[in-house]
Amino acid sequence: MKIAFAGKGGVGKTSLAAWMADLLARSGHNVWMIDADTALSLGQASGLPAGALPEPLVRRADLVRERIHAGGFLDLNPDVGDLPETLAVDVPLGGAPLPGVAAGRKRLLVMGAVTNAGGGCACDANALLKAVLAHLVMDRDEWVLVDLEAGVEHLGRGTVAHVDGLVVVSEPSMRSLLTGAEVGRMARDLGLNNQVLVVNRHAGGEVPDLPGLPERSILMPPLPGLVRRQMTDASVLALPETDIVDAALTRVLALLGG
Ligand SMILES: Nc1ncnc2c1ncn2[C@@H]1O[C@H](COP(=O)(O)OP(=O)(O)O)[C@@H](O)[C@H]1O
Ligand SMILES: [Mg+2]
């Protein structure tokens, strides 16, 4: 199954993707984590030191040109099935596997983004992400979790076309929920109806029923252990609240049909 995480900046997309990947691997599943954000932080949130991060795929200009512009035109469905195996790095688990379970493998692939400064075109990065998603799992029983860029702007470019489930992440604030509603609406327009809202850092109060928000939702409380930890450590794994996090993510997976 392929699940993407979307929402406004700073709401917890990367943390939730890292938590879900770790839960799945500790439960015995193999997981591909795809960092499709410009901030390149999914690896660090999963406990990888900066020096151990894989090279962003789009920086391999040779590969991008070769696969996307093969034959001198924009190939919207290039064969990139071999790239994840070659470029991904293994990520250690944040904790012991569940009792009686052989741990799965967690691997990280960093897409990166082509910025204007580099003279490239973001459509290259998006075409490549779409191609990787299309070719990655098809006939393998593996999980793919995609940590998307903040906001809604990139959603229209087909990045959700090959995803089976969307986690819309929001803070418990009207502005953040409005972005979440826009994300939900755009993804639904693209045919992705399997959506769950995670209201992160929820500390009380009713979540307003805005049109566009996913109908199914879960609440994630503020985690004091993470607040303390993040001053000195980029990892969001192995928290004192891991039981709370695992329970919430188990519920998200159940709602998405995983
Ligand atoms: N439930 C939570 N409780 C406390 N801190 C959190 C919680 N969820 C996320 N954070 C912190 O909030 C910050 C933003 O989270 P992050 O996952 O990077 O958001 P995004 O990927 O949406 O920009 C990080 O410092 C993260 O550790
Ligand atoms: Mg992020």
Side-chain angles (χ1 to χ4, degrees), residues 35 41 53 84 101 109 124 127 133 159 170 177 220 224 228 233:
D35 189 344
S41 59
L53 294 175
V101 165
L109 191 63
D124 281 0
L133 287 175
T159 40
S170 178
L177 287 164
M220 176 73 88
R228 275 194 302 276
D233 193 339

Side-chain angles (χ1 to χ4, degrees), residues 51-174:
L53 294 175
E55 186 184 9
L57 204 50
V58 293
R59 262 198 228 138
R60 299 290 304 270
D62 50 336
L63 290 175
V64 176
R65 250 194 315 275
E66 186 184 307
R67 304 298 172 87
I68 301 288
H69 292 296
F73 57 90
L74 187 70
D75 183 352
L76 292 177
N77 194 22
D79 188 357
V80 292
D82 59 314
L83 292 187
E85 290 282 353
T86 329
L87 295 177
V89 298
D90 274 279
V91 180
L93 265 60
L98 306 188
V101 165
R105 193 172 172 196
K106 262 197 320 190
R107 273 175 288 184
L108 173 69
L109 191 63
V110 172
M111 301 304 299
V114 182
T115 60
N116 292 339
C121 167
C123 51
D124 281 0
N126 279 286
L128 193 59
L129 174 59
K130 194 175 165 191
V132 166
L133 287 175
H135 288 271
L136 193 57
V137 176
M138 293 339 250
D139 44 21
R140 293 189 231 167
D141 179 27
E142 287 179 321
W143 289 77
V144 178
L145 306 185
V146 191
D147 183 16
L148 290 172
E149 228 177 295
V152 294
E153 191 251 336
H154 58 286
L155 280 177
R157 298 197 200 117
T159 40
V160 298
H162 296 280
V163 165
D164 325 294
L166 182 69
V167 179
V168 178
V169 189
S170 178
E171 284 188 332
S173 77
M174 184 52 83

Side-chain angles (χ1 to χ4, degrees), residues 8-15 35 37 39-42 147-150:
K8 208 172 183 315
V11 295
K13 297 178 295 298
T14 299
S15 304
D35 189 344
D37 189 5
L40 313 180
S41 59
L42 185 55
D147 183 16
L148 290 172
E149 228 177 295

Side-chain angles (χ1 to χ4, degrees), residues 24-30 93 96-105:
L24 285 166
R26 282 184 286 115
S27 310
H29 300 285
N30 290 326
L93 265 60
L98 306 188
V101 165
R105 193 172 172 196

